[in-house]
Amino acid sequence: MSRSRAWLGSLYWRIALACLGLLAAGLLIQMVVVVATLSRPSGLRARVTAQLLAKTVAADLQEALEFDPAASVRAVLARHLDNPLPVYFVTVEGNVTGADVDVPGPEAGRVAALAAEHAGGLDRTDLPVGVAAVEVLGQPEGHVVVLPRRPGWAVLRELGPWPLGGAALSAIAIAALLAWLAFAPAHRRLQALEGAATRLGQGDLTARAPEDGADEISRVSRAFNQTADALAAQIQRVTSEQDVRRQLLADVSHELHTPLTTIRGYIETLRMTDLPLSEADRARYLAIVDDEAVRLERLIGDVLDLAKMEAGGQGLKKEVVPIEALWTRLSDRYGPAATAAGVRLVFDAPMFDVDADAGRLEQAISNLVGNAIRFTPVGGEVALSAHALLTGGVRIDVSDTGVGLSAEDQARVFDRFYKQDASRSRTGTGLGLSIVRAIAEAHGGEATVRSTPGHGSTFSVTIPA
């Protein structure tokens, strides 16, 4: 768009021009009113002025007719055209003559009526008119009538073009200055809002409009900023989700690649007919393949569970779960594994219940117990305890006497595929604690960890009422 077209299309300039147009129209109307008022004077002064003019014209006309009875009345009246008041001569027969043009019928009737009233002895002191008799050698010839009405051009000529033009230009200049003072700040704020919208459209998520003031522009700016904040948050959320998906895909691909590579390698070895293998070696290779297949199955199951929990695609089936019954199932499941690992498994004796999804809660606590047994050395202890909260919820703690976690490990321990010690976590998938956190958050609670390196760790799952 060219600069001139942009100037004409600007709302700011259109409003300013509209204001100046309204001012010009107001000045024009005011001038018309003033001219109309001045062209029809009233009062004693106007009547005296008209009467003096009528007597002056009557004297001139009387002198001209006495000198030459055939003199032109119109020529005598024309001598007084420089006077703004209209002058007429009415004969005794009622004929009306003007100074330069024929007198219209209604105007002639009015003039003749005034002359007749004066001839009849009626003096109209209520009207600012002048009437004077014209007698030639003692004989009445008619009357000179001067009306108070003046043409508009005469009024304008009396006022003068320079005062009128100066007043009009001064008023327009003052109006333009006031308009600029009133609209310039608004124009700057509109430009700032336009600039912010342009930058936001170009991808600058930090672009914001100034919210100064309490008018419509400031309200539009606030609405724009709220929209920009929501858009930036949405884009940030989508970007974060995309980063998480990409990272999850990369992690899953890596974790799947390891067991698949192992399985494929041993299968290819078993298929080599020219390679002599003892039955013991063959059985050992098949056992490794079976272990990797089980690990692969567990990894896929954990990934699916985590995806369902984080996407909210699998609703919770809450019910009243007795803590004592939960302890019993966990003892039956992990008691033999703890005994085999040389770890003592201890449960407290709670006498209350928790409102939760029984299956998901057991899955979360099972992941914590399995991790605790795996990382606790021989002779250590894994203790489970439940605590009723003042808010009505329940906190379940799983404590161990293992190696503990550093501050860095505690900050990342719930991340997907994070392993404190890869060499010691070969049998894990790296998703167990992520599933624990997802289950806790699905219940409206949280999963936390407290640990001191060398003195064990305590993992907690809080389930609100």
Side-chain angles (χ1 to χ4, degrees):
M1 181 182 293
S2 64
R3 189 176 182 86
S4 60
R5 288 176 62 95
W7 184 83
L8 291 175
S10 171
L11 177 63
Y12 169 76
W13 286 110
R14 281 187 287 174
I15 293 176
L17 291 177
C19 292
L20 292 178
L22 291 175
L23 175 64
L27 290 175
L28 181 61
I29 294 174
Q30 185 176 9
M31 184 177 295
V32 170
V33 172
V34 169
V35 170
T37 302
L38 295 178
S39 65
R40 296 181 179 274
S42 60
L44 177 61
R45 181 177 179 181
R47 182 173 180 274
V48 170
T49 301
Q51 188 63 36
L52 289 177
L53 178 59
K55 290 181 178 181
T56 301
V57 175
D60 290 347
L61 188 58
Q62 180 176 335
E63 180 181 356
L65 292 177
E66 286 180 350
F67 181 78
D68 182 8
S72 173
V73 174
R74 179 165 294 177
V76 176
L77 297 179
R79 300 174 189 171
H80 300 276
L81 285 176
D82 56 340
N83 192 288
L85 298 179
V87 181
Y88 303 97
F89 176 68
V90 183
T91 64
V92 292
E93 291 83 8
N95 298 322
V96 181
T97 302
D100 53 355
V101 295
D102 295 334
V103 184
E107 187 81 1
R110 180 188 177 195
V111 172
L114 291 172
E117 290 175 356
H118 186 272
L122 179 60
D123 190 8
R124 295 294 301 272
T125 58
D126 57 328
L127 294 177
V129 298
V131 182
V134 177
E135 295 182 353
V136 178
L137 301 177
Q139 296 296 324
E141 292 291 333
H143 294 80
V144 172
V145 179
V146 178
L147 296 180
R149 177 180 54 82
R150 295 185 295 173
W153 62 265
V155 176
L156 294 175
R157 186 176 64 182
E158 287 183 3
L159 294 176
W162 291 110
L164 291 176
L169 291 177
S170 299
I172 292 176
I174 293 174
L177 177 61
L178 294 177
W180 182 81
L181 293 176
F183 290 111
H187 185 230
R188 287 193 296 269
R189 290 160 58 201
L190 284 174
Q191 286 182 324
L193 177 58
E194 179 186 7
T198 301
R199 295 196 305 275
L200 183 65
Q202 293 173 348
D204 182 7
L205 298 181
T206 62
R208 296 295 183 271
E211 299 182 4
D212 303 336
D215 55 4
E216 290 79 1
I217 298 177
S218 63
R219 290 197 291 269
V220 172
S221 298
R222 281 192 289 271
F224 170 81
N225 290 341
Q226 292 173 359
T227 303
D229 291 339
L231 179 61
Q234 183 69 17
I235 292 176
Q236 181 66 30
R237 183 164 54 252
V238 171
T239 302
S240 177
E241 291 175 355
Q242 289 177 346
D243 293 340
V244 169
R245 290 191 186 98
R246 283 193 293 267
Q247 185 62 42
L248 177 60
L249 181 60
D251 292 340
V252 170
S253 299
H254 173 73
E255 293 296 327
L256 291 177
H257 183 267
T258 302
L260 286 175
T261 301
T262 303
I263 291 172
R264 182 177 180 181
Y266 279 103
I267 288 178
E268 289 179 351
T269 301
L270 292 171
R271 292 175 60 185
M272 296 174 64
T273 58
D274 57 344
L275 180 65
L277 292 174
S278 64
E279 289 299 326
D281 289 337
R282 187 177 299 274
R284 183 167 59 86
Y285 292 168
L286 288 175
I288 293 175
V289 170
D290 183 66
D291 289 342
E292 293 298 331
V294 171
R295 180 170 179 266
L296 185 60
E297 181 181 9
R298 187 166 61 248
L299 173 61
I300 293 174
D302 287 348
V303 169
L304 292 176
D305 283 344
L306 183 61
K308 289 178 182 179
M309 294 302 301
E310 292 187 345
Q314 186 173 4
L316 298 177
K317 298 178 181 179
K318 288 189 176 183
E319 57 182 305
V320 177
V321 180
I323 299 297
E324 186 176 4
L326 177 62
W327 282 181
T328 300
R329 291 193 297 273
L330 292 173
S331 177
D332 293 341
R333 177 180 299 176
Y334 289 100
T339 301
V343 176
R344 190 161 60 98
L345 192 59
V346 180
F347 298 89
D348 68 352
M351 302 299 295
F352 52 85
D353 305 327
V354 59
D355 186 17
D357 186 309
R360 289 299 180 185
L361 179 60
E362 183 175 346
Q363 181 184 7
I365 305 304
S366 295
N367 288 350
L368 294 179
V369 174
N371 280 349
I373 293 174
R374 189 161 52 249
F375 287 100
T376 300
V378 176
E381 178 181 283
V382 174
L384 281 76
S385 59
H387 310 273
L389 303 177
L390 296 178
T391 57
V394 174
R395 189 187 79 244
I396 299 176
D397 294 338
V398 178
S399 303
D400 63 60
T401 57
V403 296
L405 298 171
S406 65
E408 179 183 359
D409 289 331
Q410 292 180 53
R412 301 182 56 193
V413 72
F414 289 102
D415 294 345
R416 299 182 185 91
F417 300 108
Y418 180 74
K419 297 179 181 180
Q420 174 193 7
D421 186 349
S423 64
R424 298 183 56 195
S425 305
R426 182 67 184 85
T427 59
T429 64
L431 293 175
L433 294 180
S434 297
I435 293 175
V436 171
R437 180 175 62 181
I439 292 175
E441 291 178 351
H443 282 82
E446 61 177 350
T448 58
V449 61
R450 303 186 305 277
S451 182
T452 302
H455 294 83
S457 305
T458 297
F459 286 84
S460 302
V461 173
T462 302
I463 305 296

